[in-house]
Amino acid sequence: MKVYITGAATTKFGELWSASPRSLAREAVTNALKDAKLSVKYIQALFVGNMLSGMLGGQEHLGAFFAEELGLSVAAFKIEGACASGGLALHNAINSVLSGQYDTVVALGVEKMTDHKPEDVATALMGAGSDEERAAGATFPGLYACLARAHMQAFGTTEEDMAAVAVKNHFHASLNPNAQFHSSITIEQVMRSSKIADPLKLLDCSPISDGAAAVIVTNKLGTGLPAGKAGNRVQILASTVATDTLGLAQRENLTELKATKEAGKKAFHIAGVSPKDIDVAEVHDCFTIAEILAMEDLGFCKKGKVGTLKHLVVNPSGGLKGCGHPVGATGIKQVVEIVDQLRGRAGARQVKNARVGLTHNVGGSGATAVVHILKI
Amino acid sequence: MKVYITGAATTKFGELWSASPRSLAREAVTNALKDAKLSVKYIQALFVGNMLSGMLGGQEHLGAFFAEELGLSVAAFKIEGACASGGLALHNAINSVLSGQYDTVVALGVEKMTDHKPEDVATALMGAGSDEERAAGATFPGLYACLARAHMQAFGTTEEDMAAVAVKNHFHASLNPNAQFHSSITIEQVMRSSKIADPLKLLDCSPISDGAAAVIVTNKLGTGLPAGKAGNRVQILASTVATDTLGLAQRENLTELKATKEAGKKAFHIAGVSPKDIDVAEVHDCFTIAEILAMEDLGFCKKGKVGTLKHLVVNPSGGLKGCGHPVGATGIKQVVEIVDQLRGRAGARQVKNARVGLTHNVGGSGATAVVHILKI
């Protein structure tokens, strides 16, 4: 069975003071349905990716919560895996269609972070880490700083190498109307920004964001859809997940994310393509070092050689760094961006002749990794 | 493709002061693997049902968390839908096997509730309710009391009718070594117990509990398993989910749970059996009125006629009332009980000649309902 994405939409990402989780979800799903030219009545299940609503807002049971908001009484689930919640929701949505249990479903990622105090958000985000890390008062900037330091020591990676990731992603974001940031930045600005957790500085870190994104996943190109209209649907070639230890202390090697390597290897095998075939990728750059790790661990380049990469465009949306990182929404937004790129409707940031794309979504400091490969 | 449960286990349910979520999960999964005579290395994905770990304990990312505990680096997910989290985890586990993505997976339900103050638990549980209910300070005993009152007014149901459910389920629990309560109770004791939310009294309510339960879901009867040994595996005939509004105020009718009716109807259709064919059922008796609603809404009897039911045994484990209700574990424990009944190993509480069984798991006051039908 072939599974397609026939509709995809994201809200604006950013500090959305007048939006609620409900309004964000409704906007994303409504626009994804409109994109697919599909009535909501064809939706048979809803997969919601979200991390923080329970811890920060006291609201759980988000499957039924958003199903009600959309006027649906169908099967509905909240899938959680920290910042990989969106990717995991899509993985289960795809499998549910492949299973034959459902024909057409929605994968929705949504997060509203700015309504809460930043220190509460930081504490809640540590719900993705290990017992020891939480007890020690570690934060994710601190944990990724450890990964950055290990990479610098092993491969001579410089702070400027990392800063270059932020510069690129801010430039991409400046071309994306839905991105949180529209300001281009320079290496010097990154280098001079406040230290957060040495060697990571403010402009090495993705922001706290609100936003939602949704995709329509289906095996049907006929029912209620412009039947088989090429260019309107993107095929999902592979959807894979792997996990690793929650804590850094339990890992053998801090210069790679093993879960990314495993999920990536499996995805390329299932899709029958190699890293060379990927024209455009959205990878999980929660911190600049994370994009470098992702490109290496997915097999796009050798360790320490990310600066030599030429054949593909990475994070055209602006990535988590420039487009914003509403954690549960990120994994779905990455897929929306790739769909837009493959369908040739990415506007000023369009990657020319993009035919095959990849997304890579990470939970915690690499305990969960999700990879999707898509083609038009 | 046929999907089977080849291993099933539950921990003891109750106030387990010396247990942690980790130790509970490890015990349940280890025993389920032992039951299936399966090495953990054959497990390709882990589906964790849990509601409260984030809100009460600050720990999310439970897929990777428990995968690490089990020594696995496979795909892992937390699935949440309030007290139906376990049932929803199993539903996604089954679909993932039907999809062909995985052959053999674990569905694990786990909850540790007694480490927290009861008032914090009550607040966290309201994460399953609607905005209005939470703002109004409603609690689940209060919401189910509204359902009980509506049922009493519509059908002349008495407080003694409800008490009879508690008496039956406590009797069943007295025969279940893993149950939280082993004391038989009488109608008079229920009637004299403290009022919680009129007309519901203390002994109409399920307790706060700790516990875990796990099942092995597979399409393989060969790999590492006692190949095709009849009697060792139970077939899953149907797995269905439906949703309704989170809040009672938005519903047309308070004398039924529409999600239960929809999930039940669909499950019987898919399984090709009728309520008459069910020999044993585990239904969601979070309050005594809930078991009455479940039996009616699943089609086992007409409204107001639950006392006339003779042909099947309901909640032989003791149900949520007698066996305990660690919320994320309940949906899986129900399935473990049915597996034990169908395999004829339920000891003193064995239902004679049980061939077809049903489980019914509810989230909130009926916003999510999950039904499974199993046969040997």
Side-chain angles (χ1 to χ4, degrees):
Chain A
M1 187 192 293
K2 287 182 180 174
V3 179
Y4 302 95
I5 292 176
T6 53
T10 165
T11 66
K12 180 160 172 39
F13 279 17
E15 298 187 13
L16 308 177
W17 300 108
S18 62
S20 67
R22 283 180 192 280
S23 69
L24 290 169
R26 196 171 54 234
E27 181 187 335
V29 175
T30 302
N31 287 334
L33 287 166
K34 205 178 287 177
D35 183 34
K37 298 189 175 60
L38 191 71
S39 158
V40 72
K41 72 181 179 190
Y42 290 103
I43 300 304
Q44 295 169 327
L46 174 65
F47 296 78
V48 179
N50 175 275
M51 178 185 182
L52 300 168
S53 170
M55 283 192 290
L56 291 177
Q59 183 70 58
E60 292 284 358
H61 210 174
L62 295 186
F65 181 89
F66 287 117
E68 179 181 359
E69 181 64 23
L70 299 168
L72 292 169
S73 61
V74 300
F77 318 92
K78 168 181 153 181
I79 318 276
E80 191 273 330
C83 304
S85 298
L88 295 183
L90 180 59
H91 180 77
N92 280 282
I94 291 166
N95 286 347
S96 83
V97 171
L98 283 170
S99 77
Q101 174 91 248
Y102 307 113
D103 292 323
T104 304
V105 307
V106 169
L108 162 69
V110 58
E111 207 79 59
K112 186 81 179 76
M113 299 170 78
T114 63
D115 291 349
H116 308 279
K117 286 186 238 164
E119 53 270 39
D120 292 347
V121 174
T123 301
L125 286 171
M126 278 311 296
S130 74
D131 296 336
E132 297 83 357
E133 288 168 350
R134 292 168 58 216
T139 61
F140 277 103
L143 295 170
Y144 274 91
C146 294
L147 296 175
R149 192 57 76 190
H151 205 275
M152 292 165 79
Q153 287 176 351
F155 308 113
T157 308
T158 65
E159 296 184 40
E160 287 80 0
D161 291 338
M162 293 189 274
V165 172
V167 170
K168 167 179 70 67
N169 290 350
H170 267 257
F171 170 69
H172 288 164
S174 76
L175 306 175
N176 180 358
N178 285 323
Q180 182 159 357
F181 300 124
H182 291 124
S183 51
S184 286
I185 56 172
T186 63
I187 300 270
E188 291 67 36
Q189 282 174 309
V190 180
M191 295 299 289
R192 281 202 311 266
S193 63
S194 327
K195 283 266 167 71
I196 300 295
D198 191 44
L200 300 180
K201 293 160 285 290
L202 182 67
L203 291 175
D204 285 299
C205 307
S206 60
I208 285 176
S209 317
D210 307 321
V215 293
I216 313 296
V217 179
T218 185
N219 58 19
K220 299 262 186 206
L221 293 177
T223 315
L225 293 169
K229 205 170 169 186
N232 260 348
R233 84 280 179 290
V234 165
Q235 191 186 341
I236 298 158
L237 293 183
S239 171
T240 61
V241 181
T243 56
D244 195 0
T245 66
L246 263 67
L248 295 188
Q250 285 71 37
R251 303 202 192 146
E252 284 171 28
N253 185 343
L254 293 188
T255 63
E256 63 177 34
L257 298 188
K258 206 176 63 165
T260 296
K261 289 179 81 170
E262 287 185 19
K265 198 175 154 190
K266 196 173 164 191
F268 284 118
H269 176 74
I270 292 173
V273 301
S274 82
K276 284 199 181 69
D277 299 314
I278 304 296
D279 302 308
V280 56
E282 286 274 315
V283 305
H284 198 92
D285 60 323
C286 48
F287 300 93
T288 49
I289 183 64
E291 178 169 319
I292 293 172
L293 286 167
M295 298 313 294
E296 295 167 348
D297 296 338
L298 289 166
F300 288 112
C301 63
K302 289 196 175 156
K303 283 280 160 194
K305 299 288 180 195
V306 81
T308 64
L309 255 176
K310 297 279 179 251
H311 83 280
L312 82 168
V313 178
V314 181
N315 283 328
S317 75
L320 286 58
K321 176 69 202 84
C323 186
H325 183 28
V327 293
T330 285
I332 307 287
K333 180 225 71 175
Q334 295 176 321
V335 173
V336 174
E337 177 66 19
I338 296 299
V339 167
D340 285 348
Q341 292 288 348
L342 299 183
R343 289 171 63 176
R345 59 178 188 184
R349 65 192 191 285
Q350 180 66 45
V351 175
K352 277 187 195 160
N353 302 320
R355 309 296 297 168
V356 184
L358 175 146
T359 66
H360 163 256
N361 188 200
V362 169
S365 59
T368 297
V370 192
V371 173
H372 286 92
I373 299 179
L374 309 166
K375 80 158 188 184
I376 191 114
Chain B
M1 187 191 294
K2 287 181 180 174
V3 178
Y4 302 94
I5 292 175
T6 53
T10 165
T11 66
K12 179 158 173 44
F13 279 16
E15 297 186 15
L16 308 177
W17 300 107
S18 62
S20 67
R22 283 180 193 280
S23 69
L24 290 169
R26 196 171 52 235
E27 181 187 335
V29 175
T30 303
N31 287 332
L33 288 166
K34 206 178 287 178
D35 184 34
K37 298 189 175 60
L38 191 71
S39 158
V40 72
K41 72 181 177 189
Y42 291 103
I43 300 304
Q44 296 169 325
L46 173 65
F47 296 78
V48 179
N50 174 275
M51 177 183 183
L52 300 169
S53 170
M55 284 192 290
L56 291 177
Q59 183 70 59
E60 292 283 358
H61 211 172
L62 294 186
F65 181 89
F66 288 117
E68 179 181 0
E69 180 64 24
L70 299 167
L72 292 170
S73 61
V74 300
F77 318 92
K78 169 181 154 181
I79 317 275
E80 191 273 333
C83 303
S85 298
L88 295 183
L90 180 57
H91 180 77
N92 280 282
I94 292 166
N95 287 348
S96 82
V97 172
L98 283 171
S99 77
Q101 174 90 249
Y102 307 113
D103 291 324
T104 303
V105 306
V106 170
L108 161 70
V110 57
E111 207 81 59
K112 186 81 179 74
M113 300 170 77
T114 63
D115 291 349
H116 307 278
K117 287 186 237 163
E119 53 270 38
D120 291 346
V121 174
T123 300
L125 287 171
M126 277 313 294
S130 73
D131 296 335
E132 297 85 355
E133 287 168 351
R134 292 168 58 216
T139 61
F140 278 104
L143 295 171
Y144 274 91
C146 293
L147 296 175
R149 192 58 77 191
H151 205 275
M152 292 166 79
Q153 286 176 351
F155 309 113
T157 307
T158 66
E159 295 185 40
E160 287 80 0
D161 291 339
M162 293 189 274
V165 171
V167 170
K168 168 180 69 67
N169 290 351
H170 266 257
F171 171 70
H172 288 164
S174 76
L175 305 174
N176 180 359
N178 284 323
Q180 181 158 358
F181 299 124
H182 292 124
S183 52
S184 286
I185 55 172
T186 64
I187 299 270
E188 291 67 37
Q189 283 174 308
V190 180
M191 296 298 288
R192 281 203 310 267
S193 63
S194 324
K195 283 266 166 72
I196 299 294
D198 191 44
L200 299 180
K201 294 162 286 288
L202 182 67
L203 291 174
D204 286 299
C205 306
S206 60
I208 285 176
S209 316
D210 306 321
V215 293
I216 313 296
V217 180
T218 184
N219 58 18
K220 299 260 184 206
L221 293 177
T223 314
L225 292 168
K229 205 171 168 186
N232 259 350
R233 85 278 181 291
V234 166
Q235 191 187 341
I236 297 157
L237 294 182
S239 172
T240 61
V241 181
T243 56
D244 195 0
T245 67
L246 262 66
L248 295 186
Q250 284 72 36
R251 302 201 192 146
E252 285 172 24
N253 186 342
L254 292 188
T255 63
E256 64 177 33
L257 297 188
K258 206 177 62 164
T260 297
K261 289 178 81 171
E262 286 184 21
K265 199 176 154 187
K266 195 173 164 191
F268 285 119
H269 176 74
I270 292 173
V273 301
S274 81
K276 284 198 181 72
D277 299 313
I278 304 296
D279 301 311
V280 56
E282 287 274 315
V283 305
H284 198 92
D285 61 322
C286 48
F287 301 92
T288 50
I289 184 63
E291 178 168 320
I292 294 173
L293 287 167
M295 298 312 294
E296 296 167 348
D297 295 338
L298 290 166
F300 288 112
C301 64
K302 291 196 174 154
K303 282 281 160 195
K305 299 288 181 197
V306 81
T308 64
L309 256 178
K310 297 280 179 250
H311 83 280
L312 83 167
V313 178
V314 181
N315 283 328
S317 74
L320 285 58
K321 177 69 200 86
C323 186
H325 183 27
V327 294
T330 285
I332 307 286
K333 181 224 71 177
Q334 295 176 321
V335 172
V336 174
E337 176 67 18
I338 295 299
V339 166
D340 285 347
Q341 291 288 346
L342 299 182
R343 288 172 64 174
R345 60 178 187 183
R349 65 191 192 286
Q350 180 65 46
V351 175
K352 277 188 196 159
N353 302 319
R355 310 294 298 169
V356 185
L358 175 145
T359 64
H360 163 257
N361 187 199
V362 169
S365 60
T368 298
V370 192
V371 173
H372 286 93
I373 299 178
L374 309 165
K375 82 159 186 182
I376 193 120

